Amino acid sequence: MSNNEYVVQMKGITKVYPNGVAANQGVDFNVKKGEIHALMGENGAGKSTLMKMLFGLEQPTEGEIIINGEKVSLSSPMVAISKGIGMVHQHFMLVPSLTVAENMVLGMEPKKGMFIDYKKAVEITEEYAKKYNLHVDANAKIIDIPVGMKQKVEILKALVRGAKILILDEPTAVLTTQETAELFKELINLKEQGYTIIFISHKLKEIKQITDRLTIMRGGKSMGVYETADISEQGISRLMVGRDVILTVEKEKAQPTDVVLKVRDLEYTDSWNRKMLDKLSFSVRKGEILGIAGVEGNGQRELVEMLFNLNVPDAGTVTVNGQNILGVPQRKIREMGVSLIPEDRMVYGIASSGTIEENLMSDRFDKKKYNKGMLFDMNAMHEESDRLIDDYLVLCKSRKQEVGMLSGGNIQKVVVAREFSSDPILIIADQPTRGIDVGATEFIRKKLVELSREGAAVLLVSADLNEVMELSDSLVVFYNGKIAAYFEDTSMLNDEIMGEYMLGLKKQTEEEVRRVCHE
Amino acid sequence: MNNRRMLMFEIIRGAAAILVALIVAMIFIFICSDQPFEALRYMLVSPLVSNGSISMNSIYTIFAAMTPIIFTGLGVCVMFSSNQFNLGGEGCVMLGGFIAALVGIYCSTGTYLDMVIAVLIASIVCAVVLYIPAVLKVKLGASEMVSSLMINYIIMYVVLHFLNNVFADGSKGSVQTFPFAETARIPQLVAGGSKLTWGFILALIFTVLVALFMYRTRWGYSIRMIGINQNFAKYSGMKVGAVIILSQIIGGFLSGMGGALEVLGRYEVFLWRDLPGYGWTGVTVAILAKNNPIFIPIAAFFISYLNRGCTLMATYSDVPAEMVDIIQAVIFLFFAAEKFLAKYRQKLVVAGAKEELSQKNAAAAEGGQK
């Protein structure tokens, strides 16, 4: 086999992080020139680590990297870029207040005397956009353009910097169905022009659709390289998790009863003067899961913040079982039986250098049960945390382990264990399975259905279209801070219909939407 | 990860920091002394040994010096744990000493309750004083570091004003108060000139109490969680503002108590004309102890030992006493530097991870054979 066939060869890569996590153990990873190569695996499987090393963000503890037949030491992204490697991160690295053209030339600005030659920057942008058929508006500010275009800007940015090998980290996670289809067309176009693309994803269907070969990782090791055409979706999922994952959630039909959460005419304008919530009204009933679908940034985050007093609305009312919860301290909200799985577990969900036990106790440490006079009843605490660790299958050495040392999925299980075990009457689950492995995802989804069938009201906010459609009994679509559509029954829905409402192409009438208030 | 391995690492790191600091100190000693080995002996050995035998008196002197800095160290420990860089402990030591002196002079009941009352009142006043930067931070968002630092000087000049103009004993040549009542003085623990009082025992008791408070009570738990992640604490339903204030009140209380015990134990009159420095040392001690109350006495011992050694060195050799500041600064530097020996740590971590993996693989292989 000639070496020239491969543009990227990573041999025997081992990476141990300072916290002792061996994220990669002797991984071999090869990419042929001009292919779209998928890198697959659960979260914590070591994909991101491997790619970070290829992009020079991390250095391998052992092993070597060969680019175009030349052994290299990628000590920083600058070096990686100079070797023709570009990376599009999952979270875009763009300056929101600058225009597309300015972002494009950031750090390599064309100069005219002392000043930046803005006209030249626009020219460069338009030239590349045309060449690669990636249409962007060079003069628009990043803050004003849709997610799909931001992604194109990121890809163009890499190309302008001379990238021949593109790493895309879960590029479709933030896109609608239509935008995804567009992206795929563009990627195939790039492939035809001789570019090599490494595509990180968990989404089996997409992988089957677009890639030529794939490498599957599990537990920091490579599980092998396959021709995409030769392996089935079930085969991939088996290799990823080592067992057959049930891709659909089985649930009985919901029998919703009384309204628990009642949101009426909620309004909020943010500090950039954007109307994030516009006379928003809906209700969630006992025993049902109401899903909120929508492209991120259409008011979902703001709504959740309001519901847990992390932000204050301009107008409107929110009640739980008839009692107001707006502006009420979190302690009171929790006492009323409201639980929240926060969108970003590292910001709100955990204290990362605290132990698992300390993190499990944070909402109940002052309960009588865990205190003996002035002091904690340590036995009661140990018992409760061991019970939760067992019940929620948190993989750890002991309750004393630092929670920040766990993998994303296990951290989320700690959060979920705490939030689900307080006998909640209302659960707000904001992106409950974002960025975690298939096993943990399945577990959390099952629990959520279980609790709703036992009588909790569940409000599910998720950017994962499959998740909201699978889990929700009924569903609303957010668009521009308003409800664009309400579907009482989710079984008839498909991606196509959802996409149209999510992108604002279609809209239900006021009367149709009003049904979600159950009045 | 292997916790014992990491504990070992921290100990090695601490020892290495001290070693490097001592080497730096030695360089200075060699530069400025004609008899460097003699000077070194005074610094390192003499605090424990005099005339060829272990000197208990010298050890008691070290213990006595530890007393106030254990208190300030504990105070800083509680405040820093909630992520509040309140530096008001220094002023509280002076204020605590002054208030305790006044109570001991003017409110004497003639019973041994005097000292209890004096120490308690002093501590409470200091707790109230540190309420100010705490509440400014919580209500107005004013940096507690700046306001507490300024409060030290306000305290100092207010105390000096009252000492000079109101409470001075006019019959004495220097500015000082009248002597405290006999019953307000903290009794000596051992006879002799070491001035080791029951305050030392109290300091050790408070170490245990503070450790229990931090790790075994809902308030200590809240303080630590807020220190790690304030968003998390708020979302979990903790009263963040109140707990932040509480931690600083406790810090003031402990520092004030340290000052009161120091003044009532070592002196007969109040005569401090400047900030005594125990508060600053308390910060060093807390950092050396990594904000863990249990390690505070060990760190305090180390600092006091070093101070004593430097005093002896300055007295009996030709090296200036300022040397101690240089050594302290260097140690501080190496301790605070997170990345000091980071490569060695990484090696340990990698070794640990590999060991674990091979164990796991071995276990799996065994399981497979069965």
Side-chain angles (χ1 to χ4, degrees):
Chain A
M1 191 190 307
S2 104
N3 268 348
N4 296 341
E5 193 189 357
Y6 293 116
V7 281
V8 174
Q9 285 175 286
M10 297 177 84
K11 287 186 183 165
I13 301 287
T14 294
K15 172 72 186 178
V16 179
Y17 279 111
N19 63 10
V21 175
N24 283 173
Q25 300 156 35
V27 176
D28 290 321
F29 180 67
N30 299 314
V31 182
K32 285 182 195 166
K33 187 168 168 36
E35 70 170 345
I36 300 184
H37 190 115
L39 183 57
M40 306 196 63
E42 294 188 83
N43 255 83
K47 306 173 304 234
S48 305
T49 304
L50 191 68
M51 286 304 106
K52 279 182 187 166
M53 287 187 282
L54 185 55
F55 193 55
L57 288 163
E58 297 280 353
Q59 277 66 49
T61 314
E62 276 168 27
E64 55 182 29
I65 301 174
I66 297 161
I67 306 290
N68 293 323
E70 174 200 358
K71 189 171 179 251
V72 291
S73 154
L74 301 170
S75 54
S76 76
M78 301 275 257
V79 178
I81 289 167
S82 75
K83 302 282 176 206
I85 299 167
M87 184 159 181
V88 175
H89 297 269
Q90 199 176 352
H91 304 285
F92 300 136
M93 309 279 176
L94 297 168
V95 185
S97 57
L98 297 182
T99 66
V100 169
E102 283 166 331
N103 269 282
M104 201 67 75
V105 298
L106 207 65
M108 43 175 280
E109 297 86 352
K111 296 271 169 63
K112 198 193 234 169
M114 269 177 65
F115 301 99
I116 294 171
D117 186 351
Y118 183 70
K119 240 172 91 189
K120 188 83 194 290
V122 173
E123 269 168 36
I124 295 175
T125 309
E126 281 169 352
E127 182 199 320
Y128 272 82
K130 207 168 161 203
K131 187 170 164 198
Y132 296 105
N133 210 14
L134 287 158
H135 296 292
V136 294
D137 179 355
N139 289 305
K141 285 197 172 157
I142 296 294
I143 197 167
D144 300 325
I145 63 176
V147 183
M149 195 186 283
K150 284 183 195 160
Q151 192 163 49
K152 288 181 204 170
V153 175
E154 282 279 18
I155 296 173
L156 281 174
K157 247 176 78 183
L159 295 173
V160 167
R161 282 160 181 73
K164 295 280 174 218
I165 303 159
L166 277 175
I167 306 166
L168 303 181
D169 189 2
E170 303 199 24
T172 60
V174 290
L175 300 183
T176 60
T177 317
Q178 282 85 348
E179 283 174 323
T180 303
E182 212 181 312
L183 173 73
F184 284 0
K185 245 187 254 162
E186 290 152 4
L187 292 184
I188 288 167
N189 179 25
L190 281 172
K191 177 182 140 182
E192 279 162 3
Q193 297 194 33
Y195 287 85
T196 307
I197 293 161
I198 301 170
F199 191 93
I200 307 177
S201 180
H202 320 271
K203 297 186 185 170
L204 303 178
K205 288 203 179 76
E206 294 178 356
I207 298 288
K208 286 293 281 182
Q209 191 184 337
I210 191 171
T211 64
D212 301 306
R213 294 197 311 151
L214 50 93
T215 299
I216 298 173
M217 289 188 71
R218 184 161 101 208
K221 290 179 185 152
S222 167
M223 303 301 292
V225 187
Y226 300 87
E227 296 286 333
T228 307
D230 297 347
I231 186 164
S232 68
E233 284 180 30
Q234 277 71 22
I236 298 173
S237 99
R238 246 195 309 276
L239 282 166
M240 270 168 68
V241 293
R243 67 197 152 96
D244 285 307
V245 174
I246 307 157
L247 291 172
T248 55
V249 180
E250 284 168 31
K251 59 175 199 274
E252 302 159 32
K253 199 162 165 35
Q255 260 126 21
T257 54
D258 311 338
V259 166
V260 175
L261 174 71
K262 196 165 152 187
V263 175
R264 290 294 178 271
D265 298 322
L266 207 58
E267 286 192 65
Y268 177 67
T269 306
D270 72 7
S271 47
W272 290 279
N273 220 12
R274 288 179 303 182
K275 189 124 195 147
M276 294 313 294
L277 298 176
D278 191 359
K279 292 229 174 240
L280 191 72
S281 298
F282 67 90
S283 297
V284 186
R285 292 169 296 176
K286 190 170 157 53
E288 75 168 345
I289 302 178
L290 178 71
I292 296 182
V295 179
E296 278 184 77
N298 277 290
Q300 299 96 319
R301 171 179 302 165
E302 288 73 13
L303 170 69
V304 172
E305 284 173 357
M306 308 287 162
L307 296 183
F308 222 69
N309 194 25
L310 300 165
N311 201 339
V312 189
D314 303 330
T317 59
V318 178
T319 58
V320 169
N321 280 346
Q323 275 181 289
N324 168 52
I325 60 164
L326 282 181
V328 172
Q330 284 82 8
R331 169 184 302 262
K332 289 267 163 57
I333 296 179
R334 284 183 178 277
E335 276 167 10
M336 288 160 77
V338 183
S339 273
L340 169 66
I341 300 174
E343 180 191 8
D344 191 334
R345 55 182 163 269
M346 303 312 276
V347 173
Y348 286 108
I350 57 157
S352 62
S353 62
T355 64
I356 294 173
E357 178 169 48
E358 286 167 347
N359 275 279
L360 286 170
M361 290 293 143
S362 72
D363 68 332
R364 62 198 67 174
F365 67 96
D366 53 355
K367 299 255 151 54
K368 238 193 182 142
K369 191 179 162 196
Y370 305 110
N371 286 277
K372 262 189 205 158
M374 299 270 280
L375 298 181
F376 278 152
D377 181 347
M378 291 317 275
N379 288 330
M381 284 201 160
H382 294 341
E383 215 171 276
E384 172 80 348
S385 31
D386 284 344
R387 184 179 71 80
L388 289 177
I389 287 169
D390 279 355
D391 285 1
Y392 288 82
L393 312 174
V394 181
L395 273 184
C396 60
K397 281 183 197 151
S398 80
R399 57 175 180 263
K400 283 189 212 147
Q401 204 178 346
E402 232 178 70
V403 83
M405 297 276 189
L406 302 177
S407 73
N410 280 305
I411 292 178
Q412 190 73 342
K413 282 185 192 164
V414 170
V415 175
V416 165
R418 184 184 60 224
E419 298 304 315
F420 285 2
S421 60
S422 56
D423 297 326
I425 57 163
L426 170 65
I427 299 168
I428 304 164
D430 193 359
Q431 320 292 355
T433 63
R434 168 173 287 176
I436 62 175
D437 57 81
V438 181
T441 298
E442 191 193 343
F443 179 80
I444 290 171
R445 288 179 181 168
K446 263 194 187 152
K447 278 274 176 192
L448 209 53
V449 172
E450 202 179 297
L451 284 169
S452 84
R453 294 305 172 258
E454 283 166 8
V458 176
L459 180 65
L460 169 72
V461 182
S462 179
D464 181 342
L465 204 50
N466 285 320
E467 179 167 270
V468 264
M469 287 168 59
E470 276 299 326
L471 280 186
S472 308
D473 299 309
S474 48
L475 188 152
V476 293
V477 180
F478 268 36
Y479 183 70
N480 263 346
K482 281 186 190 170
I483 295 174
Y486 169 57
F487 301 104
E488 203 162 358
D489 182 7
T490 53
S491 57
M492 306 300 287
L493 289 173
N494 63 39
D495 300 14
E496 210 66 33
I497 304 176
M498 292 292 290
E500 284 174 345
Y501 285 104
M502 282 163 71
L503 286 175
L505 299 173
K506 263 189 172 176
K507 211 177 143 213
Q508 286 181 350
T509 62
E510 294 262 337
E511 289 72 47
E512 282 175 292
V513 169
R514 197 74 195 171
R515 286 178 302 141
V516 72
C517 292
H518 306 297
E519 280 169 341
Chain B
M1 196 194 331
N2 196 331
N3 284 327
R4 219 177 26 198
R5 208 187 280 267
M6 279 305 110
L7 185 69
M8 273 304 293
F9 171 75
E10 286 302 334
I11 291 170
I12 291 171
R13 200 176 86 125
I18 291 166
L19 199 73
V20 173
L22 288 178
I23 291 170
V24 173
M26 270 181 230
I27 295 172
F28 280 96
I29 291 171
F30 275 91
I31 291 171
C32 64
S33 174
D34 296 331
Q35 297 166 297
F37 293 103
E38 188 71 355
L40 265 180
R41 190 174 64 80
Y42 279 118
M43 184 176 88
L44 296 179
V45 185
S46 294
L48 283 184
V49 181
S50 67
N51 301 329
S53 64
I54 289 187
S55 158
M56 284 318 280
N57 203 42
S58 191
I59 292 174
Y60 293 148
T61 309
I62 292 172
F63 284 172
M66 282 166 67
T67 309
I69 58 179
I70 288 178
F71 276 102
T72 53
L74 290 172
V76 171
C77 193
V78 175
M79 296 191 284
F80 280 19
S81 290
S82 66
N83 212 10
Q84 298 299 304
F85 293 94
N86 189 314
L87 300 172
E90 180 65 43
C92 286
V93 174
M94 186 168 190
L95 185 65
F98 188 60
I99 301 284
L102 294 185
V103 174
I105 297 162
Y106 298 103
C107 306
S108 171
T109 60
T111 64
Y112 283 101
L113 265 179
D114 282 357
M115 61 181 143
V116 179
I117 295 168
V119 171
L120 270 183
I121 290 182
S123 309
I124 290 166
V125 169
C126 291
V128 172
V129 167
L130 283 202
Y131 175 76
I132 299 168
V135 86
L136 285 179
K137 170 71 178 276
V138 171
K139 298 287 177 210
L140 302 175
S143 159
E144 77 287 352
M145 187 154 42
V146 176
S147 50
S148 63
L149 208 53
M150 290 302 114
I151 271 184
N152 288 333
Y153 296 96
I154 298 174
I155 290 174
M156 180 177 114
Y157 288 108
V158 168
V159 167
L160 285 182
H161 166 77
F162 281 103
L163 179 58
N164 289 334
N165 301 315
V166 183
F167 298 110
D169 180 354
S171 65
K172 293 292 187 321
S174 65
V175 179
Q176 61 182 56
T177 62
F178 294 96
F180 334 130
E182 196 64 39
T183 46
R185 289 196 198 136
I186 310 296
Q188 305 281 316
L189 193 59
V190 291
S194 65
K195 304 228 165 151
L196 179 62
T197 66
W198 280 91
F200 179 67
I201 302 296
L202 207 58
L204 296 182
I205 292 173
F206 264 86
T207 303
V208 176
L209 288 181
V210 171
L212 274 178
F213 175 80
M214 291 304 287
Y215 288 93
R216 289 281 189 278
T217 71
R218 55 207 109 141
W219 306 285
Y221 169 82
S222 302
I223 287 175
R224 287 186 300 116
M225 291 305 120
I226 286 168
I228 300 174
N229 183 351
Q230 200 167 315
N231 283 325
F232 165 75
K234 184 180 168 194
Y235 145 88
S236 296
M238 296 177 200
K239 293 172 183 160
V240 173
V243 173
I244 283 181
I245 292 174
L246 174 73
S247 77
Q248 294 174 72
I249 289 177
I250 292 171
F253 186 91
L254 290 168
S255 306
M257 184 173 277
L261 291 170
E262 178 71 1
V263 167
L264 296 181
R266 281 207 192 213
Y267 303 90
E268 285 160 9
V269 295
F270 183 89
L271 40 63
W272 284 345
R273 312 266 317 135
D274 198 354
L275 291 172
Y278 298 129
W280 307 138
T281 312
V283 175
T284 315
V285 166
I287 289 176
L288 285 178
K290 299 230 162 217
N291 283 347
N292 189 338
I294 286 297
F295 295 143
I296 293 277
I298 300 168
F301 176 79
F302 172 69
I303 295 280
S304 304
Y305 186 96
L306 207 61
N307 275 327
R308 173 90 182 137
C310 289
T311 312
L312 290 174
M313 181 170 70
T315 313
Y316 298 110
S317 76
D318 53 355
V319 179
E322 284 76 17
M323 193 56 59
V324 72
D325 292 330
I326 294 174
I327 298 169
Q328 266 195 28
V330 174
I331 292 172
F332 193 77
L333 216 77
F334 278 97
F335 254 90
E338 284 284 328
K339 294 240 160 143
F340 179 53
L341 292 184
K343 276 205 175 145
Y344 176 61
R345 184 178 192 271
Q346 172 72 5
K347 261 190 200 159
L348 269 181
V349 167
V350 172
K354 275 197 176 154
E355 201 175 284
E356 212 170 90
L357 279 175
S358 64
Q359 273 170 8
K360 236 188 238 168
N361 288 341
E366 220 169 84
Q369 278 165 5
K370 275 176 194 170

